[in-house]
Amino acid sequence: MRPEVRRHVFHLAWSPDSLPAESALAPLLDSLDIKLTEFRAGLLDSAFKRALIGIWDILLVELESQGDANTGEKLTSFYERLHKALQLLEDFFHAEGAGVSIEGLHTPTWYRLSSRLDLDRTPTQALINLYYKERMDEQQNATEAAGYGVLTVRAYFHHDSLCVEVLGARDVIPLDPNGLSDPFVIVELLPRTTFSHCVEQRTAVHRRTLNPVFDECFEFSVTAKQCRGDGSAILFTVMDYDVITANDFAGEAFLQLLSIPGISKEDMALITSMG
């Protein structure tokens, strides 16, 4: 039975985008319906349930195999089709409670495949935004410093202008052979799709120090609505300047725009640990 399942899953995965997932899946469901009707007539209930679970496991492996197939870059629509097919197959095997239980269907292979398809069908920019959101959550939930030092900044919003002051840093990690660093800070707004008109800005380089005092202010022309958008934040990236080789990463920190004066109702300055 496995070769037949593999053939149908291949057809499902590589059908033209113009063919809906339901139509591409129809030959597989028809084949399963015939086979399961035969099994149901010749097996006891317990044996039939075991057969259902066995076929379900085969389907998951074959769907996963198509997702892993080395056929070049795949569009998100490819993974969207597999995700939709997985949902339809789950409904088929659950059969409104008459088949395999939801708990029985959600095996480790199902969780792995479902998570994989959720990520692969997500547009690239959304994945980037998700990454930054996770980094912001990590910073907010951190119970101790990450060992990259501390950056002090201040930000406020006034008349369609976001003002960001980079005051200073302390305990920047030493990245040069002399035990010091040449730090500078890059300031940019996230997500980039919302603030595409705002170019990143950076402080001057401070030579041979781990405790630079920047005392610089930057302005970004933005609206309050943009600042209140989901995931809107300021990303501060501390770098160590190198003349010959590429600049070295020395830490980063995030400031959610909803927390700043003029956007929120609370006044605040920020002292944040870098990660």
Side-chain angles (χ1 to χ4, degrees):
M1 182 176 183
R2 185 160 200 154
E4 185 176 356
V5 168
R6 181 178 295 121
R7 177 169 57 84
H8 285 303
V9 171
F10 180 87
H11 168 78
L12 159 72
W14 300 103
S15 293
D17 289 342
S18 58
L19 187 66
E22 293 85 352
S23 299
L25 187 62
L28 173 57
L29 294 182
D30 290 342
S31 175
L32 287 173
D33 197 43
I34 293 171
K35 292 292 185 183
L36 293 177
T37 299
E38 294 175 359
F39 290 165
R40 189 70 185 89
L43 296 174
L44 297 174
D45 285 347
S46 58
F48 179 67
K49 288 292 180 65
R50 288 196 298 272
L52 283 176
I53 293 173
I55 297 171
W56 174 247
D57 288 339
I58 291 173
L59 280 167
L60 293 178
V61 171
E62 292 301 328
L63 284 169
E64 194 170 40
S65 176
Q66 291 303 320
D68 292 336
N70 186 18
T71 54
E73 185 177 355
K74 304 184 185 75
L75 299 176
T76 55
S77 58
F78 172 86
Y79 298 104
E80 184 66 46
R81 174 189 295 271
L82 293 185
H83 183 269
K84 178 64 174 177
L86 180 61
Q87 292 178 317
L88 293 170
L89 286 167
E90 182 176 324
D91 292 340
F92 179 85
F93 276 81
H94 182 54
E96 297 183 341
V100 183
S101 67
I102 294 297
E103 293 77 13
L105 293 171
H106 290 183
T107 63
T109 304
W110 179 90
Y111 278 109
R112 185 174 64 245
L113 176 60
S114 181
S115 298
R116 157 83 184 276
L117 295 178
D118 275 339
L119 287 176
D120 287 339
R121 71 194 182 99
T122 303
T124 301
Q125 189 57 53
L127 288 174
I128 294 172
N129 294 345
L130 178 62
Y131 164 77
Y132 283 125
K133 182 180 184 304
E134 290 177 349
R135 292 290 290 119
M136 283 185 272
D137 290 342
E138 288 176 10
Q139 174 183 292
Q140 187 171 359
N141 297 329
T143 56
E144 57 184 31
Y148 286 84
V150 175
L151 179 69
T152 305
V153 301
R154 182 185 294 115
Y156 56 91
F157 180 83
H158 185 65
H159 293 312
D160 288 343
S161 179
L162 176 64
C163 301
V164 182
E165 298 179 25
V166 181
L167 302 178
R170 68 173 188 268
D171 300 327
V172 175
I173 58 175
L175 291 169
D176 292 336
N178 60 8
L180 299 171
S181 283
D182 302 318
F184 67 96
V185 181
I186 301 172
V187 184
E188 58 183 314
L189 303 185
L190 301 174
R192 295 187 178 95
T193 49
T194 301
F195 300 104
S196 59
H197 62 291
C198 297
V199 298
E200 67 177 38
Q201 304 190 54
R202 57 183 62 192
T203 68
V205 176
H206 287 245
R207 301 283 186 174
R208 297 180 294 279
T209 180
L210 300 181
N211 301 287
V213 178
F214 298 107
D215 198 20
E216 295 188 46
C217 183
F218 306 97
E219 289 192 20
F220 297 90
S221 180
V222 295
T223 65
K225 182 179 179 180
Q226 289 173 318
C227 293
R228 295 189 179 104
D230 186 38
S232 294
I234 309 171
L235 169 60
F236 301 92
T237 305
V238 181
M239 302 293 290
D240 170 52
Y241 177 77
D242 287 318
V243 176
I244 299 176
T245 60
N247 298 326
D248 297 317
F249 175 79
E252 65 182 11
F254 299 86
L255 176 59
Q256 295 189 37
L257 293 182
L258 282 174
S259 68
I260 69 171
I263 301 299
S264 71
K265 295 181 179 180
E266 299 179 3
D267 293 340
M268 63 176 295
L270 176 72
I271 299 177
T272 183
S273 297
M274 292 182 288

